Amino acid sequence: MQTDYLIIGQGITGTMLSWQLIEAGASVMVLDAPNGKGASQVASGVINPVTGRHLLRSWDIEKFMPIAVQAYRDLEQVLKKPLIRQCNILNFHPTPQMHLTFRERLAEMPEYLHQPDNEAQFREWFQFDFGVGETRPCWLIDLHSLLQTWRAQLLANGQLRETVFKSEDCEVGPDAVLYQDIQASAIIYCDGAASINNPYFNQLPFAPNKGQALIVSVPGLPQLYNYKQGINLLPWKENQFWAGASFEWNFEHDRPTAVFRDKTIAQLKRWLKLPFEVVDHLSALRPATLERRPFVGLHPVYPRVGIFNGMGTKGCSLSPYFAREFAQHLLHQSPITPAADVQRFTRILSR
Ligand SMILES: Cc1cc2nc3c(=O)[nH]c(=O)nc-3n(C[C@H](O)[C@H](O)[C@H](O)COP(=O)(O)OP(=O)(O)OC[C@H]3O[C@@H](n4cnc5c(N)ncnc54)[C@H](O)[C@@H]3O)c2cc1C
């Protein structure tokens, strides 16, 4: 069979890129491992305009967030599923210092940071000593529903195969890419943390980061906010919350650990006044990069091979913007944002 683009992986990057290419009239074939447990399956799905302990404005968030919100709303129409909702973050300051930092930033970022009117209302559910702040607007993406529904649509249209791609069986020629019975104009790797071992891109400065989360049921806790005190506790399925995550730079494997589970349970017991029960434990590697910027574009030496990766902790907010940009680049040679363009590594990738 013949296709314009062979896409490896159907996490959030493969989903967004395949959607953008199909919307623009191109043909795609997506290959994704059956029952894959990539980062997008484990992620909480938050878009937060304010990052980290120092409450800094996320990179170019004014540019990325509106495009992302619109993309998920458009996909809701295409897939006829609710996929995005506003879910603001309630920051229960864990230390007096964090309270001070929040108060300082409040004046600098009035468009995102707010003081809730009546923080006493949260004492019914939480134990806290240093006040509460709110980050608004934040968004919650139902990644499970998005990935599953888009996958079902691709499968129904013969545009996805559930199979493990083997790069050693793929032939990249001057005029086409051949893999089994597939002939494509180009192959685009959207394979997340697996790209660390990719023969074309393994020299890129990836810095994989392990993240774990518990799924807990907390009857009686309203699913209105992303509650945060060191960890996030945010709406998951009915009556369930996603509690996490770890940011591990040193790890022996990508599986859940008892250390994380015990630490998170202890943290929840100190913070929550309601009883809870652990129902699942998730873990995956984030495809993070040393520079904290994505890898988007075509290989400088093999122009039929591309990459869409390196979303780190921000796949939900970054991938809609860069999928659109990359699709336009593939189809109309329009430029890619230099900070994300993989051509910035031409010297390394030409070795
Ligand atoms: C605990 C945790 C919480 C997170 N929370 C958030 C959050 O709230 N908001 C946010 O924006 N980001 C969050 N992230 C980060 C986010 O998950 C990533 O940025 C994003 O999912 C990366 O998407 P991806 O498509 O690049 O990779 P992945 O989601 O890992 O997808 C890669 C896909 O490629 C497939 N694949 C790989 N190799 C092959 C092969 N050889 N053959 C076939 N298929 C293959 C895999 O099966 C997988 O389906 C979180 C991550 C973790 C771990």
Side-chain angles (χ1 to χ4, degrees):
M1 70 147 317
Q2 216 150 6
T3 188
D4 293 330
Y5 297 101
L6 175 60
I7 294 177
I8 309 305
Q10 194 239 326
I12 189 64
T13 56
T15 295
M16 283 292 167
L17 186 62
S18 56
W19 173 54
Q20 286 290 336
L21 287 169
I22 292 168
E23 285 280 297
S27 58
V28 304
M29 172 55 75
V30 180
L31 307 184
D32 192 55
N35 311 314
K37 282 269 176 271
S40 310
Q41 309 275 349
V42 166
S44 48
V46 171
I47 297 180
N48 175 5
V50 179
T51 299
R53 293 171 63 82
H54 300 290
L55 302 175
L56 301 174
R57 195 182 295 266
S58 301
W59 174 47
D60 266 356
I61 192 67
E62 279 78 18
K63 190 163 76 174
F64 301 139
M65 195 158 73
I67 300 271
V69 171
Q70 192 55 49
Y72 294 108
R73 287 192 172 138
D74 290 347
L75 275 163
E76 283 183 331
Q77 301 300 316
V78 173
L79 299 173
K80 300 182 177 47
K81 285 263 174 190
L83 298 174
I84 178 168
R85 71 164 162 124
Q86 191 170 337
C87 183
N88 301 327
I89 296 178
L90 278 185
N91 299 287
F92 295 81
H93 309 305
T95 60
Q97 184 53 45
M98 289 294 286
H99 182 191
L100 283 178
T101 305
F102 187 88
R103 289 193 54 164
E104 279 168 27
R105 294 275 187 264
L106 203 56
E108 295 164 19
M109 262 193 275
E111 68 277 39
Y112 295 131
L113 298 181
H114 310 270
Q115 193 63 61
D117 291 339
N118 173 15
E119 63 180 47
Q121 63 183 305
F122 305 117
R123 293 205 185 278
E124 188 183 339
W125 307 306
F126 293 99
Q127 170 67 46
F128 58 95
D129 297 321
F130 307 112
V132 186
E134 183 176 357
T135 310
R136 185 175 77 221
C138 299
W139 303 90
L140 194 55
I141 313 304
D142 187 341
L143 284 170
H144 268 188
S145 198
L146 170 59
L147 265 52
Q148 262 177 24
T149 326
W150 182 243
R151 188 183 195 88
Q153 179 155 320
L154 290 177
L155 273 169
N157 294 336
Q159 293 164 313
L160 183 139
R161 292 184 193 170
E162 294 188 326
T163 178
V164 173
F165 169 83
K166 295 195 175 76
S167 57
E168 60 275 22
D169 297 342
C170 183
E171 208 180 299
V172 175
D175 302 317
V177 174
L178 298 175
Y179 184 70
Q180 297 176 348
D181 63 323
I182 304 166
Q183 179 170 338
S185 305
I187 180 169
I188 313 291
Y189 286 95
C190 298
D191 51 350
S195 254
I196 297 155
N197 300 316
N198 184 300
Y200 292 94
F201 295 108
N202 59 7
Q203 297 189 63
L204 292 177
F206 277 103
N209 178 279
K210 180 173 172 179
Q212 302 187 52
L214 296 182
I215 303 302
V216 292
S217 95
V218 194
L221 184 62
Q223 293 201 306
L224 295 177
Y225 290 99
N226 175 357
Y227 308 99
K228 184 169 187 170
Q229 194 188 57
I231 55 169
N232 294 274
L233 185 66
L234 55 93
W236 193 244
K237 293 169 193 156
E238 207 175 316
N239 272 339
Q240 292 183 352
F241 288 81
W242 183 103
S246 61
F247 291 86
E248 302 168 50
W249 295 109
N250 298 308
F251 47 85
E252 286 167 8
H253 52 74
D254 62 1
R255 297 185 301 279
T257 64
V259 173
F260 173 81
R261 182 189 163 98
D262 295 347
K263 189 174 150 211
T264 305
I265 289 175
Q267 219 167 337
L268 288 172
K269 278 185 178 161
R270 281 195 301 272
W271 182 30
L272 261 175
K273 288 182 174 171
L274 299 169
F276 65 91
E277 193 188 336
V278 176
V279 294
D280 204 355
H281 186 169
L282 311 174
S283 178
L285 298 187
R286 299 178 183 90
T289 70
L290 281 183
E291 301 169 307
R292 299 195 197 168
R293 294 292 177 264
F295 301 145
V296 184
L298 295 170
H299 196 290
V301 181
Y302 303 97
R304 294 195 177 276
V305 182
I307 187 166
F308 186 41
N309 207 321
M311 300 293 147
T313 58
K314 303 216 175 285
C316 292
S317 54
L318 297 183
S319 55
Y321 182 90
F322 286 108
R324 198 168 80 160
E325 205 175 78
F326 194 14
Q328 291 304 308
H329 178 74
L330 290 169
L331 299 169
H332 306 295
Q333 292 77 50
S334 56
I336 295 172
T337 301
D341 193 341
V342 76
Q343 297 281 333
R344 70 194 189 276
F345 298 108
T346 293
R347 272 179 55 191
I348 293 173
L349 292 173
S350 305
R351 276 182 206 149

